Amino acid sequence: MWSFSKASRAAKDFLTLRSSRSERLEGRGNPSRCFETQPAAAPQHEGLRVLRLLPALLAFSAAVPLAGCIEPLYGASGGLDTSPLASELQAIEVDEIPGRMGHYVHNELIYGFNGTGSTVQPRYRLTVALRERVQTPILDTVTGRATSATVIADADYRLVTLPQNVEVTKGTAFNIASYDRFSNRFANVRAARDAEIRDAKVIADSIRTRVATEMATRAPASAPALPR
């Protein structure tokens, strides 16, 4: 027969089991209580952690003194030179280049030297002589038609000062762009034009980089004296 003492003992055991379970769940949700029971880290572990971070600290300390030695190509020179390179590039006048690819190269150079669209008194003149040829290196042995073509472009450029006509720099830019040929004539014409545009962008970017590198190492051209 169920007695009052047995019932009270069962209730006490149930409350004890419930309290211990709630303590375990509370410790699991609270990381701080879990860490309180863990032993403290050994001193040698801290030493190993410092040794692991030592190479990164040495690399950072070696790179900090070199930060002041890096100078952007198109930024202000500073010091005695008060004219930034960007204003010198904006003062370059690009002569017209004949041909369809020459039109593309001319537009890319104008945008590359003076992308702001502002009107600047020209102090330099850039002339470009462009040569273009097309090759068909791959032929279909069944139909005898070319399955691909290559547009080869060479550009001889020369930069002179105005109005002294003194040569600043000259050189040759070169690029190759290939495209696939199909039975559709319109698709071939469009693909050939896209190859010319790719050639024009690469050649214009190469000329701009070479001219900017050369002008960064020389003094800016003095503006012509105004008549009194």
Side-chain angles (χ1 to χ4, degrees), residues 101 104 108 190 192-202:
M101 184 183 292
Y104 297 147
E108 292 292 337
R190 181 69 259 183
R193 185 167 300 183
D194 292 340
E196 291 178 351
I197 294 175
R198 295 199 305 270
D199 275 340
K201 289 183 178 180
V202 174

Side-chain angles (χ1 to χ4, degrees), residues 134-139 146-150 179 181:
V134 180
Q135 296 181 354
T136 54
I138 302 178
L139 298 176
T147 59
S148 66
T150 302
Y179 65 95
R181 292 177 58 89

Side-chain angles (χ1 to χ4, degrees), residues 82-168:
T82 58
S83 176
L85 180 59
S87 63
E88 291 296 304
L89 296 179
Q90 292 175 2
I92 296 178
E93 181 183 15
V94 184
D95 287 347
E96 292 290 339
I97 308 173
R100 183 173 59 194
M101 184 183 292
H103 173 72
Y104 297 147
V105 175
H106 181 262
N107 289 343
E108 292 292 337
L109 286 174
I110 292 178
Y111 181 77
F113 288 134
N114 188 10
T116 61
S118 59
T119 302
V120 181
Q121 180 68 23
R123 298 190 296 272
Y124 303 91
R125 175 180 288 115
L126 178 67
T127 57
V128 179
L130 190 64
R131 299 180 300 274
E132 177 187 0
R133 60 186 185 275
V134 180
Q135 296 181 354
T136 54
I138 302 178
L139 298 176
D140 191 348
T141 56
V142 178
T143 61
R145 296 180 179 179
T147 59
S148 66
T150 302
V151 180
I152 305 174
D154 303 296
D156 297 330
Y157 64 91
R158 183 171 181 264
L159 182 68
V160 297
T161 60
L162 292 177
Q164 297 85 1
N165 200 26
V166 178
E167 182 179 284
V168 178

